[in-house]
């Protein structure tokens, strides 16, 4: 995460609670309100995730798999990427040992002349895919090019290494059962 992304994240967290003219005393009060609001939103998201089923659009095995595990908010992000992956073509460029390189291009252009995304794929010991867009590495959501390759390889399950536990329904249930949110856990660690 870059410093500008961190700043934007902090700004988004406090949006509507503080501004440039907020005094330190008011900031502390608003900070508490922001925590309560954040906890309320987490609780609502947990409730939706535990008490509703994900709505399938594409009816693919990967979508079904993600719907079982991800919270509704993360599932929505995953589903949008999966849906957009159907707008892409992929072409095998080369194979070096167990690693295959693909060029993944949007369908709206000439495949031969258009530069797309380079995806390295290996399934020697376990499935491993990396894309030059680095979306998964930066946001934790599988990108369209990687999802396109997973579809091409007929994967029916999302490899475990591509599912962050913090975004899964069972993990969120565990956090709630203990009464400690990830944010509170972080605050407690910071005080030690």
């Amino acid at each position: 995460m870059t410093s500008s992304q961190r700043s934007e994240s902090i700004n988004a967290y406090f949006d509507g609670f503080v501004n440039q003219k907020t005094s330190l005393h008011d900031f502390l009060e608003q900070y508490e309100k922001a925590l309560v609001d954040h906890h309320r939103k987490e609780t609502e998201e947990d409730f939706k995730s535990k008490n509703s089923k994900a709505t399938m659009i594409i009816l693919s095995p990967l979508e079904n798999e993600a719907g079982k595990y991800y919270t509704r908010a993360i599932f929505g992000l995953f589903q949008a990427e999966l849906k957009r992956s159907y707008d892409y073509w992929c072409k095998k460029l080369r194979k070096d040992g167990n690693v295959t390189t693909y060029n993944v291009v949007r369908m709206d252009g000439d495949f031969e002349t258009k530069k797309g995304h380079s995806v390295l794929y290996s399934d020697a010991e376990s499935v491993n895919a990396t894309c030059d867009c680095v979306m998964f590495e930066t946001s934790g959501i599988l990108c369209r090019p990687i999802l396109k390759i997973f579809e091409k390889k007929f994967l029916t399950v999302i490899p475990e290494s591509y599912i962050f536990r913090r975004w899964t329904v069972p993990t969120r249930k565990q956090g709630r059962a203990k009464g400690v949110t990830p944010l509170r856990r972080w605050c407690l660690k910071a005080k030690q």
Side-chain angles (χ1 to χ4, degrees):
M1 178 181 275
T2 66
S3 60
S4 63
Q5 287 174 322
R6 190 175 303 113
S7 176
E8 289 172 11
S9 176
I10 291 169
N11 288 343
Y13 188 81
F14 288 111
D15 190 31
F17 292 98
V18 295
N19 60 42
Q20 293 175 332
K21 297 179 182 179
T22 303
S23 69
L24 182 58
H25 178 352
D26 290 340
F27 172 78
L28 293 174
E29 288 179 3
Q30 294 299 336
Y31 178 77
E32 184 64 31
K33 288 180 183 177
L35 285 175
V36 168
D37 187 60
H38 184 73
H39 178 68
R40 180 187 56 77
K41 288 177 181 173
E42 278 186 345
T43 303
E44 287 173 4
E45 173 64 25
D46 290 347
F47 180 82
K48 281 182 6 185
S49 295
K50 287 186 243 178
N51 296 302
S52 67
K53 287 192 169 216
T55 304
M56 303 298 153
I57 296 173
I58 302 166
L59 304 177
S60 81
L62 290 175
E63 181 186 34
N64 189 44
E65 182 84 358
K68 289 179 196 174
Y69 294 108
Y70 286 137
T71 64
R72 293 301 154 256
I74 297 302
F75 174 72
L77 297 172
F78 174 87
Q79 191 176 48
E81 285 300 306
L82 182 63
K83 184 178 177 185
R84 291 182 190 121
S85 75
Y86 286 89
D87 295 336
Y88 286 76
W89 297 98
C90 61
K91 180 180 180 183
K92 182 176 174 180
L93 296 178
R94 66 185 163 279
K95 184 167 176 81
D96 298 320
N98 294 327
V99 179
T100 306
T101 304
Y102 292 92
N103 187 30
V104 183
V105 179
R106 222 176 124 81
M107 286 186 210
D108 61 359
D110 180 16
F111 193 84
E112 297 301 324
T113 61
K114 190 168 182 181
K115 169 85 171 95
H117 291 284
S118 179
V119 176
L120 302 176
Y121 177 85
S122 172
D123 59 3
E125 293 178 23
S126 63
V127 173
N128 186 19
T130 57
C131 180
D132 62 4
C133 76
V134 296
M135 181 176 172
F136 179 74
E137 291 81 358
T138 57
S139 72
I141 303 293
L142 283 166
C143 64
R144 299 164 214 178
I146 289 177
L147 290 169
K148 185 65 181 181
I149 300 304
F150 284 1
E151 175 203 352
K152 178 181 178 56
K153 294 295 188 175
F154 302 106
L155 291 183
T156 58
V157 296
I158 300 169
E160 195 170 314
S161 60
Y162 293 99
I163 299 176
F164 287 159
R165 295 287 162 233
R166 70 176 181 258
W167 288 341
T168 62
V169 175
T171 301
R172 302 289 293 175
K173 285 180 184 177
Q174 288 173 346
R176 287 292 166 250
K178 295 175 188 172
V180 179
T181 66
L183 180 61
R184 285 188 180 158
R185 196 172 302 121
W186 179 83
C187 289
L188 291 170
K189 284 181 184 178
K191 287 182 180 181
Q192 293 177 349

